[in-house]
Amino acid sequence: MANVDKAFGLRPYKGAGWPVQQVNKYNIVTTGYGTSIFQGDLCIFASGLINRAAAGSANLVGVFSHCYYVATDGTPTFKNYYPASTTALGSGAIEAYVYDDPNQLFVVQADGSSGQAAIGQNADTDGIGGSTTTGVSTRELDSSSINTTQALQLKIVSVVQDDINGDLTADNANLVVLINEHYMRGPVAGT
């Protein structure tokens, strides 16, 4: 059965040896950051504030879960994505909740074929964007970047064992990954 082509960014899976799946609060900006950040997007720091990571960005903080802010009309607002150029009431902060544990494992869809040899290798992401309807990221693992180079965003740990997207011989397999270039530790040692 062919894998389903439906990108969803990075989803928390489990910890590397223990369950983590916990988010921590950071600030995006007090007002007007001009780039949307979707649930499942990789995040970086820019002047101590959370920004969406580009394809190939290093020093990753983690994966965006959701945000909170008080809208200009005074409404407390929770969203699973940060809408570009959002303004908070007064000088209020826009809070980003990020899965930031360097040992957190995630599931991400590959944009092409990966194959058994991809396990234990590294890759960057691509497909940066998302849906303003669902708030979910369209980020995927860039299959064309899979290799042993340390300076890549993700370490491929395994394939998800399911009947939907667990076929490594087909495009769009769901892979279990670790953030390889996490700002708390730098690239993971090994292959």
Side-chain angles (χ1 to χ4, degrees), residues 30-163:
T30 54
T31 188
Y33 171 57
T35 303
S36 294
I37 309 173
F38 295 95
Q39 187 176 70
D41 266 334
L42 289 169
C43 300
I44 59 170
F45 283 128
S47 300
L49 300 169
I50 291 294
N51 280 209
R52 183 176 72 190
S57 290
N59 295 317
L60 301 164
V61 176
V63 174
F64 185 84
S65 172
H66 63 281
C67 69
Y68 168 79
Y69 57 93
V70 177
T72 55
D73 67 0
T75 306
T77 304
F78 288 91
K79 285 189 168 279
N80 64 344
Y81 81 103
Y82 164 78
S85 303
T86 295
T87 301
L89 182 65
S91 60
I94 299 172
E95 300 170 351
Y97 291 83
V98 177
Y99 293 99
D100 63 354
D101 189 305
N103 297 308
Q104 173 73 50
L105 296 175
F106 297 93
V107 175
V108 64
Q109 180 173 287
D111 67 355
S113 62
S114 47
Q116 187 66 43
I119 307 302
Q121 294 198 45
N122 306 307
D124 274 337
T125 59
D126 64 3
I128 313 307
S131 167
T132 57
T133 302
T134 65
V136 176
S137 174
T138 55
R139 188 180 295 258
E140 296 178 289
L141 183 137
D142 180 2
S143 297
S144 68
S145 72
I146 296 172
N147 67 64
T148 58
T149 301
Q150 286 293 316
L152 296 171
Q153 293 174 318
L154 305 174
K155 162 99 37 212
I156 303 167
V157 177
S158 66
V159 64
V160 171
Q161 300 298 314
D162 64 29
D163 293 334

Side-chain angles (χ1 to χ4, degrees), residues 13-21 101-105 178:
Y13 185 63
K14 62 181 180 179
W18 54 88
V20 283
Q21 298 186 17
D101 189 305
N103 297 308
Q104 173 73 50
L105 296 175
L178 179 71

